Amino acid sequence: KKTKMRRCASAGVAAATTAAVLWGEQVSVLAWTPSSTSCSVRNNALLRTPSSSSSSTTRYSSYRQRRTELHLGDFFNFNKQDDTKKKEEVVEEEKKDSYVDGAYDESDPIEKIFGFFFGEREEKPMGMDRFGPDRFPEQYPATKTEWAEPIPADTTADQKTLRPFLKNTNLESRGLRLTYDANRDGWNPISFHSKVDKLGPAVVLCTSKSGDVFGGYNPKGWVGYGEARGSIAAFLFLVGTQYGQTEDAPGLKLQKVGGKGLAQMDNPETGPMFGPDALVVPFERDDPKLARSKLGSYYERMPDGGNSLFGGRGAVQLKDMKVYHGVWEEGEYVPFTDAEPFALY
């Protein structure tokens, strides 16, 4: 009988210890005295010896109910006491140093679980910046509802035209410089790549002979190695309030679709190619000013479902084409100025 009692006691201690670890509660342990059938309630270092078996059972039951009773609704609020004002003040102070953004909701059950095991959300965990549209805008599709503000460096008509479309890009607050002008430098791929290769992100601005103004943003630039350079932040645009979806919109932006792959076909034998067919200036020998457009596969269609930047036309003749790059300080790091052999497209 004593052996069975010892085994029960051992099992009870083990169960109570496990519960204490999992729930963070001070679990009461019912300890049996081998020399008698009486019992006592042991809570941490405090040993209470009841005067009688009945009083011990009553006291133990009420204490157990008070200390260890958990309801399903209290799962995310366990280990909380009524007199926790000081603890709450400490938590509030710690939250001032924690990082909270629009994607974080501390009342979310999943966030509570992760917060319990891994601590509060930090601005720079292990010294590393978190991903987000503010810190890494070009890891996200182009915004279609926000427009960049002008900067003092915008002095030409082209710069003022392009600036609003560069919201949430690497060129949003950076000056723009004209690096290629087809009418000045030549309507051929050799002239084009000699002026634009290895200069980083760029924006193309075209005007058709019928007066349409359009272009595209190439976040990865060109290097002339025959690569397919991918970026989810690439986009095409049409200039003109008649294309805008709101009254204050300077035009229309069409996002990259189908993932980031094939955003720009960097072929040394052609001019700019946004996808294999979305906006292509191939610099054909017999017709160097031809531009073609077919939307839907790599860049989204027009709001009315049209599959061309040029309305019902699949191709137009260009009046001019220019490329603008960002202005970088001497010695400043310029991104995407070489091949990307390990990029996944």
Side-chain angles (χ1 to χ4, degrees):
K1 184 177 181 180
K2 290 183 179 181
T3 300
K4 291 183 179 180
M5 291 169 62
R6 290 193 186 97
R7 291 176 180 174
C8 291
S10 298
V13 170
T17 304
T18 302
V21 172
L22 291 175
W23 298 103
E25 292 285 346
Q26 291 181 322
V27 179
S28 301
V29 180
L30 182 62
W32 291 89
T33 304
S35 60
S36 65
T37 58
S38 62
C39 65
S40 62
V41 177
R42 184 171 65 232
N43 181 31
N44 294 340
L46 180 62
L47 182 66
R48 299 181 179 181
T49 305
S51 57
S52 63
S53 177
S54 59
S55 62
S56 172
T57 303
T58 302
R59 183 183 301 178
Y60 169 70
S61 299
S62 61
Y63 184 80
R64 180 181 60 183
Q65 184 176 5
R66 183 175 68 255
R67 297 294 296 146
T68 64
E69 185 178 84
L70 288 174
H71 296 284
L72 182 60
D74 295 333
F75 178 77
F76 296 111
N77 296 307
F78 58 82
N79 204 26
K80 299 291 178 67
Q81 308 295 326
D82 294 336
D83 54 346
T84 56
K85 183 176 292 186
K86 292 184 178 180
K87 291 183 180 180
E88 291 176 354
E89 292 176 356
V90 173
V91 170
E92 290 298 324
E93 289 295 325
E94 291 177 350
K95 283 184 178 180
K96 292 180 180 179
D97 299 327
S98 63
Y99 177 64
V100 178
D101 60 21
Y104 176 71
D105 181 7
E106 63 179 4
S107 64
D108 182 73
I110 302 300
E111 295 286 3
K112 287 189 175 184
I113 293 175
F114 275 85
F116 172 74
F117 287 105
F118 302 109
E120 294 291 337
R121 185 180 176 93
E122 299 175 352
E123 181 177 0
K124 291 186 176 182
M126 300 178 66
M128 297 182 292
D129 286 335
R130 290 184 178 275
F131 271 74
D134 295 331
R135 289 186 173 88
F136 302 94
E138 295 199 353
Q139 298 296 324
Y140 298 83
T143 177
K144 299 166 61 177
T145 57
E146 298 178 88
W147 310 98
E149 297 293 331
I151 65 173
D154 295 336
T155 57
T156 69
D158 285 349
Q159 291 170 340
K160 294 176 181 178
T161 297
L162 292 172
R163 181 62 56 188
F165 295 94
L166 298 178
K167 181 68 175 178
N168 290 350
T169 71
N170 283 329
L171 302 181
E172 178 179 353
S173 58
R174 191 174 292 276
L176 299 174
R177 64 187 181 96
L178 177 64
T179 52
Y180 172 77
D181 184 337
N183 290 327
R184 178 193 68 188
D185 302 314
W187 291 84
N188 62 81
I190 296 177
S191 297
F192 174 76
H193 283 281
S194 68
K195 295 293 185 179
V196 304
D197 284 356
K198 300 184 178 181
L199 297 179
V203 57
V204 178
L205 180 64
C206 302
T207 304
S208 70
K209 289 184 178 180
S210 59
D212 297 320
V213 182
F214 54 90
Y217 174 61
N218 178 9
K220 299 291 185 70
W222 299 269
V223 294
Y225 292 160
E227 293 180 312
R229 296 167 79 80
S231 175
I232 195 64
F235 62 84
L236 302 176
F237 62 86
L238 280 163
V239 178
T241 55
Q242 68 270 26
Y243 301 111
Q245 301 296 293
T246 59
E247 294 182 359
D248 61 339
L252 175 69
K253 293 172 72 172
L254 302 176
Q255 294 176 332
K256 179 72 177 67
V257 296
K260 69 177 186 178
L262 304 179
Q264 182 70 214
M265 309 299 292
D266 185 15
N267 294 326
E269 300 86 6
T270 69
M273 296 180 63
F274 289 84
D277 53 9
L279 174 59
V280 179
V281 183
F283 285 142
E284 294 181 358
R285 182 173 300 179
D286 298 332
D287 195 1
K289 296 184 179 181
L290 176 71
R292 296 195 297 263
S293 176
K294 182 180 179 182
L295 304 172
S297 298
Y298 300 95
Y299 289 83
E300 64 180 333
R301 291 173 176 261
M302 297 287 285
D304 61 359
N307 67 344
S308 174
L309 276 173
F310 318 133
R313 298 163 295 169
V316 296
Q317 289 290 317
L318 297 180
K319 178 182 178 181
D320 62 54
M321 183 178 73
K322 300 175 182 178
V323 176
Y324 284 84
H325 283 82
V327 177
W328 307 83
E329 299 294 334
E330 185 176 354
E332 187 178 4
Y333 171 72
V334 182
F336 311 117
T337 56
D338 212 334
E340 298 184 296
F342 300 108
L344 299 176
Y345 298 118

